[in-house]
Amino acid sequence: MKYYLTTPIYYVNAAPHIGHTYTTIAADAIKRFKRMQGFDPVVLTTGTDEHGQKVERAAKAAGKTPEEFTTAVAAEFRRQWDEFGLQYDRFVRTSDPRHHETVRWLFERCMKNGHIYKGSYTGQYCVFDELYVNEAKPGDPCPDCGRPTETVTEENYFFKLSAFTERLLELYEKQPDFIQPESRRNEVLSFVKQGLNDLSITRTTIKWGIPVPVEGHHVFYVWFDALIAYMTAVKNTDLWPADLHLIGKEIVRFHAIFWPAFLWAADLPLPKHIYAHGWLLFEHDKMSKSRGNIVRAEPIRKVMGADALRYFLLREIVFGQDGSFSYDALIGRYNSELANGLGNLASRTLTMIQQYRGGVVPAGNAQHIQKVACETIGATADAFYRFEFSKGLEAVWTLLSAVDKFIVEQAPWNLAKKPDCEAQLDSALYAAAEALRVATALLSPILPESCAKIWSQLGMPEPLESVGLDSLAWGQLRAGQKIGQIAAVFPRIDAKPAIEKMRELETQVSAEQAVLLGKAPAVSPQAAPAGPQITIDDFSKIELRVGQVLSAERVKGADKLLHLKVDVAEAEPRSIVAGIAEAYAPEALVGRKVVIVANLAPRKLRGLTSNGMIVAASVEGGKPVLAGFLEDIPVGARLK
Ligand code: ME8
């Protein structure tokens, strides 16, 4: 039976960050697990969402045509997924002519069935989110991103979404697992219960999009265009409908409301499940390109390996809920659970087989470990089946700890010294190796690269990918099997240098991405202007301190300025006016830690006192980016 799953089709107005990697890693893990469950073929689609005003503007800013720009960024997404070993089968780009064809085909089917009409629309539009903001008045900010909305009047084609309200409610009722997890289903349900408005699905104000049949001056609204990419990827195959759309929670309404309605209107089958996972947070805020608080996955892969990040993301965060990323937590889990846990058990077990049995797996058994292993197979499979990765991994670690304890109790190093304990030693070694084999098979969807290494060190003759969940059972490790070459799979990592290296690479990768997106000119470090040198005493005159933004608002009549209240651990918060309004929405700054120059003489700006300065970096013609910290640091701390 086939299984077709998708990730979102990512926007190309920013390069990939760890949030995109998170979804794609989860999708890859699900794909591998489904294969283990016996689905065949299992097909994963990912890709890039390339149309719309945001992309048009980004391309222009980069001095490229939209085609050149989107091709470069799409290639960067692909490169990242390839280097991460993520097994996508289709990479769909919405600028591909084959996709244009599918969109027009679907539109015409909806039109023929009477679900589309022509009308005109005047309203507020958020260019950043590509969304009309209902009920907003001119000048109102976008409720999602806080950026100012623009007033637009357009002749549009409308989709009769309102006509699908009842049918959607019935769908959620009859198929409670259509939207998962439950919290997201409830959110969609209460939204739809309020009634739906018709949806404008074409634009005349935008050029970079798919032209509407007959009316070439209209292009399709990006969400009508983007959702259909899931179908383009598998057109002319029997893979549709999708079994799963895996997405982040902020786009659940588009998937759970618009998409089924479009498909019904075109008489096409619906996807079976939509799973909206939570957000990856950094410094308590959603990690996102607009907030500028992103971490990239590439430096982590280069320093710690792809599996380290896969493990961390799927173990640390309860899938479906929000969770935080930090370098300390990443290295902490790696060292205690991968290096000291799985890695140590593997090398210990294999080394003992090498030492005491000449590298040949002995025959034997241990009832207690067999029982725990059998329970673990059931518990892990059950959890992974429900995408409860963290719970499934926890179950495997229960087995690993049981085996660790068992080895300590059995003390094979003592048994090996006693000739009458041969059989007991055989049993201890067999049980440990067999438990390791079971754990490795179960972990393979999450840790594919490392599990393949352990598998070959165990000397398993069949490929790891051929292990099916149904047939995975205790006792399949063959006595007499020769183990392979032993090597450490998860060497311990020294936190401080590793974090420093990742930070250094982060700066490098972000500079490379800025060049790719045309946000910064390519500069080599040597080319940076040297400037006059200062002494340490000169530097110490500048009092740099950690502050935390308590409130932020726009300054009337000044597009670039924000008025901030910043806590610097003094009796009163500081009032600071900063020229960062074009780069940051005020509400995105509240709670954020910043660096301020605390001893700058106060000055007046637009009638407001600015007592200090916020430190930000920028390149010629680019937007300012606030200086910040990857670890927590108390307010008021001095930078030296
Ligand atoms: O929304 N935490 O594209 P996008 C977790 N083009 N996941 C995150 C994340 C974070 N901080 N940041 C991003 C779009 N993601 C549309 C989709 S689909 C037909 C069109 C992941 O580039 C998560 O999967 O903004 C989220 O839904 C997606 O990237 C948004 O990617």
Side-chain angles (χ1 to χ4, degrees):
M1 202 170 37
K2 68 94 190 172
Y3 191 91
Y4 175 42
L5 78 160
T6 64
T7 73
I9 307 296
Y10 303 116
Y11 285 133
V12 290
N13 60 332
H17 61 70
I18 197 174
H20 303 115
T21 314
Y22 177 47
T23 312
T24 318
I25 282 178
D28 176 89
I30 294 172
K31 173 177 170 175
R32 292 171 195 264
F33 178 70
K34 288 291 159 188
R35 240 182 359 216
M36 245 182 126
Q37 266 190 299
F39 288 93
D40 186 27
V42 184
V43 174
L44 167 61
T45 286
T46 187
T48 40
D49 187 354
E50 304 189 354
H51 290 129
Q53 204 156 348
K54 261 191 281 181
V55 176
E56 204 172 9
R57 287 183 184 177
K60 199 168 168 204
K64 291 185 179 160
T65 63
E67 290 83 355
E68 287 166 347
F69 180 79
T70 54
T71 301
V73 184
E76 173 64 8
F77 272 93
R78 279 192 93 123
R79 185 187 69 77
Q80 295 251 346
W81 301 161
D82 290 340
E83 291 197 349
F84 255 93
L86 299 172
Q87 296 187 338
Y88 59 90
D89 302 275
R90 318 273 160 111
F91 190 99
V92 59
R93 295 182 54 193
T94 57
S95 62
D96 184 332
R98 275 170 303 182
H99 174 63
H100 289 209
E101 216 177 90
T102 322
V103 173
R104 284 198 282 261
W105 167 78
L106 204 125
F107 171 78
E108 276 165 353
R109 286 178 72 111
C110 296
M111 187 85 163
K112 195 171 84 241
N113 290 340
H115 296 293
I116 286 172
Y117 63 93
K118 211 170 185 181
S120 114
Y121 180 90
T122 298
Q124 295 307 115
Y125 185 71
C126 172
V127 175
F128 186 80
D129 290 327
E130 316 266 15
L131 204 64
Y132 281 109
V133 184
N134 294 331
E135 291 123 35
K137 296 180 296 302
D140 280 358
C142 166
D144 281 345
C145 71
R147 291 174 171 77
T149 53
E150 293 179 10
T151 308
V152 294
T153 298
E154 288 189 64
E155 181 198 54
N156 284 170
Y157 281 96
F158 281 76
F159 179 82
K160 286 187 193 164
L161 186 63
S162 56
F164 289 94
T165 311
E166 286 311 315
R167 203 166 163 191
L168 283 165
L169 290 172
E170 210 176 291
L171 167 72
Y172 309 146
E173 194 62 43
K174 284 204 177 131
Q175 241 177 279
D177 61 354
F178 178 68
I179 311 166
Q180 294 174 80
E182 180 77 19
S183 53
R184 300 275 84 84
R185 176 178 177 268
N186 294 339
E187 173 198 322
V188 171
L189 204 61
S190 60
F191 185 82
V192 176
K193 275 184 181 158
Q194 291 166 19
L196 297 169
N197 294 325
D198 288 350
L199 181 73
S200 135
I201 55 162
T202 70
R203 302 281 180 269
T204 53
T205 44
I206 302 169
K207 285 193 184 52
W208 177 238
I210 302 177
V212 174
V214 190
E215 306 254 17
H217 62 293
H218 285 256
V219 300
F220 286 107
Y221 163 50
V222 282
W223 275 100
F224 188 79
D225 164 349
L227 289 159
I228 297 171
Y230 297 142
M231 198 163 235
T232 302
V234 294
K235 193 126 180 268
N236 304 324
T237 70
D238 52 7
L239 289 165
W240 192 261
D243 295 274
L244 172 70
H245 291 315
L246 186 65
I247 56 172
K249 67 180 184 181
E250 78 290 355
I251 53 176
V252 68
R253 290 185 195 172
F254 299 100
H255 284 77
I257 302 172
F258 295 2
W259 189 216
F262 296 162
L263 290 166
W264 275 327
D267 284 331
L268 294 165
L270 304 194
K272 303 215 178 94
H273 304 287
I274 292 163
Y275 192 103
H277 64 65
W279 282 341
L280 211 50
L281 311 175
F282 192 57
E283 294 170 344
H284 315 294
D285 228 337
K286 183 192 174 206
M287 208 184 273
S288 79
K289 56 212 171 205
S290 52
R291 288 185 173 89
N293 62 343
I294 52 176
V295 168
R296 288 156 189 87
E298 200 174 358
I300 300 170
R301 177 181 62 75
K302 285 187 170 157
V303 175
M304 300 183 64
D307 279 1
L309 183 62
R310 291 174 75 101
Y311 179 77
F312 176 76
L313 292 175
L314 297 176
R315 174 66 185 86
E316 172 85 3
I317 302 162
V318 174
F319 203 61
Q321 296 179 14
D322 292 351
S324 288
F325 173 85
S326 85
Y327 287 111
D328 284 337
L330 167 73
I331 294 188
R333 276 206 186 272
Y334 175 92
N335 278 336
S336 69
E337 290 155 37
L338 293 177
N340 293 352
L342 177 61
N344 188 37
L345 179 68
S347 63
R348 204 175 177 195
T349 304
L350 293 164
T351 307
M352 289 192 296
I353 293 179
Q354 185 66 50
Q355 222 172 327
Y356 307 135
R357 291 295 176 258
V360 176
V361 176
N365 199 10
Q367 293 297 326
H368 162 61
I369 295 299
Q370 173 174 353
K371 184 168 171 284
V372 182
C374 293
E375 284 163 5
T376 303
I377 297 174
T380 309
D382 246 33
F384 286 177
Y385 177 76
R386 291 193 299 272
F387 306 151
E388 292 174 357
F389 300 110
S390 188
K391 202 165 160 193
L393 289 169
E394 220 175 301
V396 179
W397 258 257
T398 310
L399 171 63
L400 300 181
S401 322
V403 181
D404 261 337
K405 193 160 162 254
F406 169 75
I407 293 177
V408 172
E409 282 163 5
Q410 294 286 312
W413 42 93
N414 291 335
L415 297 177
K417 290 181 201 146
K418 303 178 193 158
D420 58 334
C421 291
E422 289 279 302
Q424 196 186 340
L425 177 59
D426 281 352
S427 285
L429 295 179
Y430 182 86
E434 174 57 344
L436 180 65
R437 184 192 68 90
V438 168
T440 306
L442 289 171
L443 291 172
S444 62
I446 313 290
L447 302 169
E449 208 182 307
S450 323
C451 287
K453 287 185 192 159
I454 301 176
W455 197 252
S456 93
Q457 293 186 28
L458 272 165
M460 299 305 298
E462 69 271 25
L464 180 53
E465 299 79 55
S466 68
V467 176
L469 204 54
D470 278 351
S471 55
L472 180 63
W474 183 265
Q476 290 163 334
L477 177 65
R478 283 170 287 269
Q481 176 170 308
K482 183 114 185 65
I483 62 167
Q485 180 119 38
I486 308 168
V489 180
F490 300 108
R492 264 193 80 80
I493 287 181
D494 198 353
K496 198 162 172 274
I499 294 179
E500 270 166 21
K501 184 73 196 159
M502 286 190 276
R503 292 233 175 90
E504 191 187 309
L505 288 171
E506 173 70 34
T507 312
Q508 197 180 316
V509 174
S510 94
E512 282 162 13
Q513 290 187 343
V515 172
L516 176 80
L517 296 167
K519 290 189 174 155
V523 277
S524 62
Q526 295 89 332
Q533 291 190 328
I534 59 167
T535 65
I536 188 81
D537 294 335
D538 293 332
F539 175 70
S540 63
K541 285 184 197 147
I542 305 170
E543 191 187 327
L544 295 170
R545 287 200 184 273
V546 178
Q548 186 163 30
V549 179
L550 300 177
S551 68
E553 50 192 39
R554 295 184 191 281
V555 176
K556 280 207 184 73
D559 291 346
K560 294 195 176 161
L561 297 182
L562 289 185
H563 181 210
L564 313 174
K565 287 277 165 57
V566 183
D567 177 11
V568 200
E570 295 168 335
E572 293 283 319
R574 297 263 186 137
S575 155
I576 299 181
V577 179
I580 53 172
E582 287 180 327
Y584 295 91
E587 55 281 15
L589 289 174
V590 176
R592 183 164 170 152
K593 297 239 169 104
V594 289
V595 176
I596 71 155
V597 182
N599 59 344
L600 194 73
R603 56 197 178 134
K604 283 249 178 211
L605 285 166
R606 300 265 172 170
L608 297 163
T609 303
S610 187
N611 187 10
M613 186 179 90
I614 306 260
V615 178
S618 62
V619 288
E620 193 59 37
K623 289 183 178 168
V625 174
L626 289 175
F629 301 91
L630 294 173
E631 276 101 25
D632 204 20
I633 175 88
V635 163
R638 180 153 186 197
L639 282 83
K640 290 185 256 198

